[in-house]
Amino acid sequence: MTMRELEIQFQNAMNELQASFEKQHREWQRGYQLLQQQLAEARQREMSLRVQNEQLAHKLDTASSLPEQHALIKQIRMLGAHLDALAKDAATFNHYVSNQQRATGNFSGEQR
């Protein structure tokens, strides 16, 4: 083999090596870009989930620490207070009627 043939073989081998390197570099570059895109999307999802988690945690804290602040609870308590007042009024009225009947019965001579 002559020196010229060796130079040609060496040059061909170097060209193949460079082409292989460039091909591998392009594949790595595409893979890197894909991973970067996936990382950005994952970070965006993470931020969205953090915001949602904070909102839910706030709702949970509000619900567990201040139940009297909820409209339904307020309405139930108001209704309970009205029912208590009505029951008290009814008891007072019944007591009054009972006393009136006793007083009337005592004056008319009726015995019970």
Side-chain angles (χ1 to χ4, degrees):
M1 206 177 248
T2 65
M3 191 60 140
R4 179 73 186 139
E5 291 172 341
L6 285 175
E7 284 178 8
I8 292 173
Q9 276 187 334
F10 177 74
Q11 189 61 42
N12 288 340
M14 290 300 290
N15 289 342
E16 286 178 31
L17 180 62
Q18 184 173 356
S20 174
F21 175 78
E22 288 172 357
K23 179 182 176 186
Q24 187 64 49
H25 181 71
R26 284 191 303 272
E27 289 175 13
W28 285 341
Q29 196 69 17
R30 278 192 295 269
Y32 175 77
Q33 289 171 351
L34 180 62
L35 289 174
Q36 288 287 42
Q37 181 181 0
Q38 290 173 349
L39 178 61
E41 290 169 359
R43 284 182 176 159
Q44 184 63 36
R45 282 192 307 273
E46 180 185 14
M47 290 296 290
S48 175
L49 289 173
R50 280 184 194 214
V51 168
Q52 185 178 10
N53 189 33
E54 288 174 12
Q55 291 171 345
L56 291 173
H58 178 70
K59 283 183 181 180
L60 182 60
D61 288 343
T62 302
S64 63
S65 64
L66 300 172
E68 64 274 0
Q69 296 297 323
H70 294 284
L72 184 57
I73 300 295
K74 287 180 179 180
Q75 290 174 351
I76 290 171
R77 287 187 178 160
M78 186 182 301
L79 181 60
H82 285 290
L83 289 174
D84 288 343
L86 286 173
K88 184 178 177 183
D89 289 347
T92 302
F93 178 76
N94 284 335
H95 182 68
Y96 172 77
V97 168
S98 177
N99 285 340
Q100 286 293 334
Q101 287 176 346
R102 280 190 207 130
T104 307
N106 287 341
F107 289 123
S108 66
E110 293 178 15
Q111 300 265 334
R112 287 197 177 222

